[in-house]
Amino acid sequence: MSFSSLGLSPLILQAIEEKGYKQPSPIQEKGIPVVLSGKDVMAAAQTGTGKTAAFTLPILSMFEGTKPAVGNSVKALILTPTRELAAQIDDNISHYGKHLNLKTAVVFGGVKINPQMIKLRRGVDILVATPGRLLDLFQQNAVNFSKVEILVLDEADRMLDMGFIHDIRKIMAKMPKKRQNLLFSATFSDDIRKLAKTIVNNPVEISVNTKNSTVKAIEQIIIPVDKTSKNNLLSHLIIDRNWHQVLVFCRTKHGADRLAKHLIKKNITASAIHGNKSQGARTKALADFKNGGVQVLAATDIAARGIDINELPQIVNFDLPNVAEDYVHRIGRTGRAGATGHAYSFATVEDKKNISEIQKLIGEVIKTEIIAGFEPSDRLGPVALKSPKPKRPKKPRTDGPAGGNAKPKQPRRR
C-alpha cells in the first residue's frame, strides 16, 4: 500500500515524497483513513511505529483550504507529556504542512511565556502543547478552547503516570462537546480504558502492537556487572567498540549528571538531559547529540520521551527500569525504519525480578554477555521465561454410593 491510497491531499503527499517515505507503517495505514473519516480513534502504538504521522498527516489534510483560526482560538489541539515530544511533533507538522497556509504553534514550560502568548493572539490552526503550560496560558486569557474541532492525546499512558489528567480534564471542560477525539497510548491498560470512556465516543480501536513487535529488529543483550563497575564498563565499551552515538538511560537525574561527568573525564563527549535542566540546555544537548557533537546522551525516562533520531545505533540501559513497558519504550529508540539496532542492559543480581518481567512482556529470553575484566562478584545466572504449570486433572468425586471406593465418613469426635 502507498500513501496515495489513504485519501491524503496532494500537497501532503508531495511533502511525504520530499521526506523520502514510500510506504505507510501499519499504524499509519490503519489510522489515517479512520481519522480522515472524522471518527474518534483509540490507538495502541509503541514508540518508533510512526504514530505521530498517523494523526498529524490527516489533520493537516483535513485543514487544507479551511477557514483559518480566529484570534486566541485553536482548531486542533495536540496534548503531549514532555517538551521534547511536543517539539518533535511540531517539527513533523512544520515539515508535512510546509506547502499549506496553516498557522501552527508549540507551547511548553521552561521558556518565556510572552512570545507564546503573542503567537496565540493571532489564532492557531494546530497547537501542540504540554498540559501545564497550556493551562497557564488559558488562565492568563491567552487562549480559549471554544473552537476546538480535534483533540489529540498523545502518549496518554505517560500523561496518566505523570499526573497530568487533572489539568487535561480542566482543559477539556472548556471545549465543545462535539469534536473529534484521538487517543494514542503504548498499551490499552485498565486505567487507559477507564480514561478513554470519558474522552472518546464510540471509537475505532486500532492496535498494531504484538508483545515484541517493536523489538524484532533490535539485538538485545544483558551484561551482568557489579553496581560499582557500571561507569567504567560503559566507558570501556564506548572506547573498545568505537561507539560514536549512544543514548544511555539512567534511573535518576543525579545519576545522569554523574555519568556524564565521568565520561567527560575519560575524554568522551557527553551531556545529560533531565527535568532539572533548563529548556535551553535540554534543547542544546539534544541538538548536539543529533548532529554528532556529543557521543553520549545520558537521559532519564521522562526527558527521553520524544527523542527521535534516525538510525540511532545503540542504547544502553545503565539502570534497568522498574516498569517492563518502559524497557520497550527505551529500546524502541533504536532499530527504527528498518534499521538494525542494539540495546545493552547493565544488570546486577538485584535486577533479576525486572529482567523476568521484561522477558515475560516481550515473550523471549534476552541473551547474556560477560565482558572480560568486568565479571560480577555475584553471579546473575540465567533468567528464563517461566511457562505456566499445567493444571492437574481433577479427581472424580467418589463420595456416596456411586463412588465405589469412597471411604465411609468417620463420626466427628466431640
Side-chain angles (χ1 to χ4, degrees):
M1 179 176 283
S2 65
F3 282 101
S4 60
S5 64
L6 299 179
L8 296 166
S9 73
L11 290 178
I12 298 298
L13 292 174
Q14 182 182 342
I16 293 170
E17 186 178 349
E18 289 169 358
K19 189 79 171 174
Y21 295 135
K22 304 297 182 183
Q23 290 182 318
S25 69
I27 186 63
Q28 293 163 2
E29 185 178 321
K30 293 179 180 180
I32 288 173
V34 179
V35 177
L36 287 172
S37 73
K39 296 177 182 177
D40 281 13
V41 170
M42 183 175 170
Q46 297 278 6
T47 295
T49 56
K51 64 180 174 64
T52 300
F55 59 81
T56 56
L57 291 175
I59 290 173
L60 287 164
S61 192
M62 288 190 288
F63 282 0
E64 182 182 336
T66 60
K67 289 184 179 180
V70 297
N72 291 95
S73 69
V74 176
K75 289 171 65 178
L77 175 61
I78 301 170
L79 293 177
T80 190
T82 68
R83 307 165 189 175
E84 283 73 27
L85 185 54
Q88 176 196 319
I89 295 171
D90 182 58
D91 284 344
N92 272 263
I93 291 170
S94 297
H95 182 88
Y96 293 126
K98 65 183 180 180
H99 301 303
L100 308 181
N101 187 26
L102 294 175
K103 293 180 287 183
T104 65
V106 59
V107 297
F108 45 71
V111 295
K112 291 181 179 179
I113 199 169
N114 283 343
Q116 297 176 352
M117 295 175 72
I118 292 169
K119 198 159 190 178
L120 289 171
R121 284 197 194 110
R122 300 193 294 267
V124 175
D125 295 306
I126 303 174
L127 176 64
V128 186
T130 52
R133 174 51 63 93
L134 184 62
L135 202 54
D136 289 343
L137 288 161
F138 173 76
Q139 289 167 348
Q140 295 189 46
N141 298 315
V143 62
N144 73 76
F145 308 115
S146 61
K147 304 292 184 184
V148 171
E149 299 173 20
I150 302 172
L151 170 66
V152 181
L153 292 189
D154 191 23
E155 300 210 348
D157 55 327
R158 182 57 56 178
M159 286 199 276
L160 201 61
D161 292 343
M162 294 170 68
F164 284 138
I165 296 306
H166 185 62
D167 287 347
I168 290 169
R169 293 198 191 285
K170 285 183 178 179
I171 294 166
M172 287 173 54
K174 305 297 180 181
M175 294 182 187
K177 289 186 177 180
K178 188 178 180 181
R179 63 176 188 269
Q180 185 178 12
N181 303 287
L182 313 176
L183 185 149
F184 285 76
S185 175
T187 59
F188 286 159
S189 65
D190 291 341
D191 287 340
I192 288 296
R193 288 192 178 278
K194 186 177 179 181
L195 171 66
K197 287 180 181 178
T198 66
I199 298 174
V200 292
N201 300 306
N202 299 319
V204 175
E205 263 192 39
I206 300 170
S207 179
V208 297
N209 295 334
T210 58
K211 285 187 177 179
N212 62 349
S213 62
T214 61
V215 298
K216 286 180 180 177
I218 303 168
E219 184 183 15
Q220 301 169 72
I221 299 167
I222 291 171
I223 302 178
V225 62
D226 289 334
K227 189 175 182 179
T228 55
S229 300
K230 284 184 176 182
N231 283 346
N232 288 329
L233 172 59
L234 181 61
S235 55
H236 166 78
L237 289 172
I238 292 168
I239 295 168
D240 184 62
R241 301 188 179 186
N242 199 27
W243 288 350
H244 293 292
Q245 190 180 45
V246 55
L247 176 61
V248 182
F249 287 95
C250 300
R251 187 170 289 135
T252 67
K253 302 167 187 176
H254 296 301
D257 283 333
R258 284 195 301 268
L259 179 59
K261 289 176 182 177
H262 165 80
L263 294 172
I264 290 169
K265 286 179 181 178
K266 297 285 186 177
N267 295 318
I268 298 168
T269 54
S271 290
I273 182 170
H274 52 68
N276 283 358
K277 298 280 187 180
S278 70
Q279 185 56 40
R282 289 164 71 168
T283 301
K284 183 179 187 305
L286 185 55
D288 289 343
F289 183 60
K290 284 185 174 182
N291 64 30
V294 165
Q295 282 176 265
V296 182
L297 187 64
T300 55
D301 279 307
I302 299 300
R305 288 278 171 159
I307 293 178
D308 187 11
I309 300 164
N310 290 332
E311 298 181 6
L312 178 63
Q314 54 260 323
I315 70 103
V316 171
N317 289 304
F318 189 84
D319 302 307
L320 277 168
N322 292 322
V323 180
E325 284 81 359
D326 284 343
Y327 172 85
V328 178
H329 277 297
R330 288 179 176 189
I331 70 172
R333 301 292 160 193
T334 186
R336 292 188 174 198
T340 56
H342 299 83
Y344 301 88
S345 297
F346 293 176
T348 66
V349 288
E350 289 84 6
D351 290 314
K352 257 196 167 184
K353 184 180 178 183
N354 285 347
I355 295 169
S356 179
E357 291 297 318
I358 289 166
Q359 293 184 153
K360 183 179 177 183
L361 177 68
I362 65 175
E364 64 179 83
V365 175
I366 304 171
K367 69 180 180 180
T368 299
E369 180 182 354
I370 302 291
I371 305 299
F374 294 91
E375 297 87 349
S377 54
D378 292 320
R379 187 171 178 270
L380 179 65
V383 183
L385 282 174
K386 293 182 179 179
S387 301
K389 292 181 180 179
K391 292 182 179 180
R392 291 182 179 179
K394 291 183 179 179
K395 292 182 179 180
R397 293 184 63 183
T398 56
D399 50 330
N405 296 324
K407 293 181 179 178
K409 290 184 179 179
Q410 299 296 322
R412 292 177 63 188
R413 293 184 179 179
R414 296 184 181 273

